[in-house]
Amino acid sequence: MATALASARTGASRAVLLSSKPPTTAAKSLKGSKLADAMHRSLYPHLYQQGGGSAPNRKIRQQMGTMKRYKQVEAEREARKVSWFRNKTRTSSINKLAMQPQKPRAIKKACPDPVAATTASQLALHDSTGARTRLFDRTNPECARVGDILLVRQRTGEPFAGVCINIRRRGIDTAILLRGQLTRVGVEMWYKVYSPLVEGIEVVQRAQRKARRARLTYMRKEKHDRGSVENVVRVYLRQKAALGSAEGGKKKGAAAAAAAAGGKKKGNARGKKR
Amino acid sequence: MRPMAPLNWGLLPPSFLLPSSTRSLLSLISLSAAPSHTTIRTIKSVNTPRPDRFAHHPKKPALNSTSRAALARKVATTPLRTGLLAQKCGMTAVFDPETGKRTACTVLQLDRNEIVAHKTREKNGYWAVQIGAGSKLIENTSKPMLGHFAVAGVEPKRWIMEFKVRGKEGLGLPVGQTVGASWFSVGQWVDVKGISRGMGFEGGMKRHGFSGQPASHGQSLMHRGMGSAGGSQGSGSRVLPGKRMAGNMGNESVTVKNLKVLQVDEVNGIVVVNGCVPGPKNQIIKVQDAIGKPWPAGPMKLDEIIPASIGPAAAASPA
């Protein structure tokens, strides 16, 4: 393997071989390199004109010199092109404003991520307090997770409660999938978290332990189905109403009332159905 | 062979050959009897000659194969003002605060749009505005293009495209002028043109929605093929031209018409349009006033642009 490597080196880059002394143990490779040198010398004698043994060194130096000169020439040419363009702009431009060519600022510098900017403006509009964002922010220890029972109050219609079995985090399009029961039939509802139609999202009950899945689709199976969450929600609403009244209901009065009203509505509906 | 009669055998000889006494009567004769042109008696053709497409005469109806006629035909579908070049940045959604309706939308960003040239009827045969966008290193630009940019007094542009306009009033923006997102207004309709994602060589199922062939029931080694390409001997034993087959899919120009502008942000160069737009992210897109809707009362010149410093808050409100 060592020989193969060395021969590859001789073939590919002489500079490497020269800078690091070839291993004395690999005598065969040395021989090979000598042969290659001899061949190279016979093929390109003009590179080996001065000096005997140190000719390859000179060759490299020559090559480097050529490269340097090439780069210099290139740079000069580029500089000439730039100055030619600037000069041409000054002399033949239609509008005289361009006498001082002002380079417009790249818009990517002002706004590197336009989608994020649009999303941010939408979030500012639909979630001005940032409460929803915090509720579904993974860094927040109090955030809602899959397995929690969530209650979604809507602008129109009754609130819907169910086990959150999926959180789809997509900026302004963030949505939750709630699984509950209506008329004893399992129902799953997607809600866009930032939709103006969603007035409030409340955590009714936390999961007993953290779910070990991102999506609890196994809950659709009969064995794992949580069934109706009605009782849990009723207890929660009653407790909340009690707390609201105990605290005096100055600050939270409106919210509590709303929640109570929602709860009452739900209660009525349930009554009808039964 | 019969001797050929001269063509003017029915005419009078020239006046200098006539006796001088009759010369005074000559004017009367020429007025009354002699025809003013040579008459050639042949069989009259019943075929009316085919009108020459190029022999225009003011008395004849206007020709429709001229550039003038072509421009006149396209008047209704040529926008009044230029469009701009934008980059597709991705999709997101906006919610309407009142109705709560969610609208999927595409975010476009305008990068350093500048007028590079005007195309005029006199010089080029049509009216158009040449727009450049993005930027390019001078070293990487060819010298002819550098000269073109130098005349306009703009930095070298990465993309250059033309937008046809109806007439001279469409050239309201002077050459070298920078235009921003506020060229468009919230609520207006635009047409969007771009190159679609290239799918490569695709089969009939993906390219044209053919149904393929059965998975089982003795089907052998052919499940996604296109099937028959036409009838046999009775139908001519040939494949009709235009038969849809497998082939290169995508990577072609696609126009999406009538997209609504939902947001405009001059500072960040953002234009948000309703729905989807062809091509991958960072695809360069032509955005121009929709030809299928009434022309917007948008700015035709730079000084007509409403001071575009609509703050982000104001710009954020969706239509």
Side-chain angles (χ1 to χ4, degrees):
Chain A
M1 192 203 156
T3 55
L5 201 106
S7 63
R9 260 197 254 152
T10 51
S13 68
R14 189 153 300 277
V16 175
L17 195 110
L18 282 162
S19 58
S20 63
K21 297 280 185 203
T24 47
T25 49
K28 205 176 178 185
S29 78
L30 250 179
K31 210 188 215 173
S33 78
K34 270 178 189 167
L35 182 68
D37 275 348
M39 276 183 71
H40 196 266
R41 196 173 307 223
S42 63
L43 280 171
Y44 308 103
H46 61 278
L47 295 176
Y48 295 85
Q49 272 166 9
Q50 295 120 349
S54 63
N57 247 333
R58 178 168 293 280
K59 192 189 87 184
I60 282 162
R61 231 179 291 137
Q62 269 182 352
Q63 273 182 352
M64 281 172 72
T66 325
M67 202 62 199
K68 209 171 171 185
R69 237 176 296 133
Y70 174 74
K71 276 184 179 168
Q72 269 179 359
V73 168
E74 273 294 284
E76 274 168 28
R77 188 179 294 159
E78 300 308 344
R80 233 181 295 145
K81 208 170 177 184
V82 172
S83 61
W84 179 85
F85 176 65
R86 297 276 171 242
N87 198 24
K88 180 97 178 166
T89 309
R90 215 173 305 118
T91 51
S92 63
S93 153
I94 290 174
N95 54 341
K96 296 304 165 198
L97 283 174
M99 289 293 278
Q100 299 87 24
Q102 67 254 25
K103 217 170 182 177
R105 194 157 168 267
I107 202 79
K108 285 281 173 206
K109 286 191 179 146
C111 178
D113 192 352
V115 178
T118 314
T119 306
S121 74
Q122 281 288 299
L123 286 179
L125 194 70
H126 297 296
D127 185 29
S128 48
T129 57
R132 297 277 168 85
T133 311
R134 242 175 288 123
L135 184 60
F136 291 98
D137 183 8
R138 266 192 264 247
T139 56
N140 177 14
E142 296 286 302
C143 72
R145 296 170 205 277
V146 287
D148 295 355
I149 296 175
L150 301 186
L151 176 78
V152 173
R153 279 184 286 108
Q154 299 168 72
R155 194 190 273 180
T156 54
E158 302 168 14
F160 183 83
V163 186
C164 178
I165 62 171
N166 189 358
I167 302 176
R168 185 191 279 165
R169 291 187 172 86
R170 301 279 190 287
I172 189 74
D173 263 341
T174 300
I176 50 173
L177 179 58
L178 302 185
R179 182 174 172 86
Q181 271 193 347
L182 290 176
T183 65
R184 295 187 188 174
V185 176
V187 172
E188 283 182 13
M189 296 287 277
W190 275 107
Y191 286 103
K192 295 282 179 193
V193 166
Y194 297 105
S195 169
L197 299 180
V198 171
E199 290 204 322
I201 300 174
E202 291 165 34
V203 179
V204 174
Q205 190 186 51
R206 302 251 173 220
Q208 268 117 24
R209 46 185 248 209
K210 199 182 160 193
R212 300 176 74 165
R213 304 277 179 282
R215 280 171 274 283
L216 309 184
T217 44
Y218 62 81
M219 285 206 173
R220 289 170 184 161
K221 288 192 174 170
E222 241 176 84
K223 186 181 161 193
H224 301 285
D225 199 351
R226 284 287 293 271
S228 173
V229 293
E230 229 168 65
N231 293 329
V232 184
V233 172
R234 201 185 308 141
V235 168
Y236 165 76
L237 288 176
R238 206 177 295 147
Q239 276 181 355
K240 196 181 167 191
L243 272 175
S245 62
E247 276 178 15
K250 275 173 195 169
K251 278 183 191 172
K252 289 189 175 175
K264 221 180 269 171
K265 245 190 253 165
K266 192 173 170 75
N268 288 343
R270 199 169 55 232
K272 266 179 221 160
K273 272 168 205 158
R274 273 186 177 171
Chain B
M1 193 179 168
R2 201 157 51 97
M4 278 170 71
L7 279 177
N8 56 353
W9 63 274
L11 292 180
L12 285 172
S15 58
F16 63 86
L17 291 176
L18 292 174
S20 59
S21 57
T22 59
R23 271 181 211 162
S24 58
L25 302 170
L26 205 63
S27 58
L28 296 173
I29 291 167
S30 65
L31 271 177
S32 59
S36 59
H37 52 88
T38 47
T39 52
I40 302 166
R41 296 187 178 180
T42 56
I43 299 167
K44 195 185 172 191
S45 169
V46 290
N47 285 339
T48 48
R50 206 170 156 209
D52 186 357
R53 291 188 300 142
F54 304 105
H56 179 60
H57 192 271
K59 283 180 183 169
K60 289 180 184 170
L63 296 174
N64 55 7
S65 58
T66 58
S67 63
R68 184 195 301 266
L71 284 178
R73 271 201 303 278
K74 290 174 196 159
V75 154
T77 53
T78 313
L80 300 178
R81 58 188 199 129
T82 177
L84 295 179
L85 294 177
Q87 267 181 301
K88 176 176 169 178
C89 294
M91 289 193 72
T92 177
V94 294
F95 287 104
D96 190 322
E98 279 79 48
T99 62
K101 197 176 177 323
R102 176 182 172 274
T103 314
C105 60
T106 309
V107 181
L108 307 175
Q109 195 176 33
L110 282 73
D111 188 13
R112 289 166 280 183
N113 273 247
E114 282 178 314
I115 316 293
V116 178
H118 285 161
K119 298 285 167 116
T120 58
R121 180 84 178 90
E122 294 79 44
K123 202 174 172 194
N124 310 93
Y126 59 97
W127 301 97
V129 178
Q130 195 181 61
I131 301 262
S135 80
K136 200 174 174 185
L137 286 177
I138 295 174
E139 297 92 297
N140 295 345
T141 313
S142 69
K143 215 153 177 195
M145 284 317 290
L146 278 183
H148 186 55
F149 291 123
V151 168
V154 299
E155 290 288 314
K157 294 284 164 189
R158 181 161 170 203
W159 300 285
I160 298 186
M161 286 183 198
E162 271 181 25
F163 290 91
K164 287 201 174 171
V165 292
R166 187 182 292 176
K168 196 176 183 183
E169 62 280 355
L171 310 182
L173 295 171
V175 170
Q177 185 62 57
T178 309
V179 208
S182 52
W183 185 247
F184 299 108
S185 48
V186 172
Q188 82 160 100
W189 300 88
V190 290
D191 286 350
V192 154
K193 192 173 185 182
I195 292 179
S196 62
R197 276 172 201 263
M199 303 289 176
F201 192 97
E202 285 297 346
M205 282 181 76
K206 182 166 174 180
R207 193 175 179 215
H208 303 297
F210 293 166
S211 16
Q213 293 178 34
S216 64
H217 293 288
Q219 194 75 8
S220 158
L221 302 180
M222 177 58 97
H223 302 288
R224 294 181 60 89
M226 61 176 272
S228 168
S232 66
Q233 206 175 355
S235 316
S237 294
R238 67 194 182 103
V239 177
L240 297 177
K243 173 80 193 86
R244 294 185 298 170
M245 290 189 179
N248 207 357
M249 182 179 172
N251 195 21
E252 58 185 358
S253 182
V254 173
T255 309
V256 181
K257 290 181 178 176
N258 301 337
L259 298 183
K260 201 172 200 179
V261 175
L262 301 178
Q263 289 181 20
V264 169
D265 185 354
E266 167 79 12
V267 181
N268 295 330
I270 294 176
V271 174
V272 180
V273 295
N274 172 20
C276 46
V277 158
K281 279 176 198 169
N282 296 325
Q283 170 73 47
I284 196 75
I285 301 278
K286 285 175 92 172
V287 188
Q288 198 166 19
D289 297 342
I291 60 172
K293 300 277 181 185
W295 301 119
M300 297 288 284
K301 293 176 187 167
L302 198 73
D303 45 4
E304 286 172 24
I305 294 179
I306 308 147
S309 47
I310 317 163
S317 63

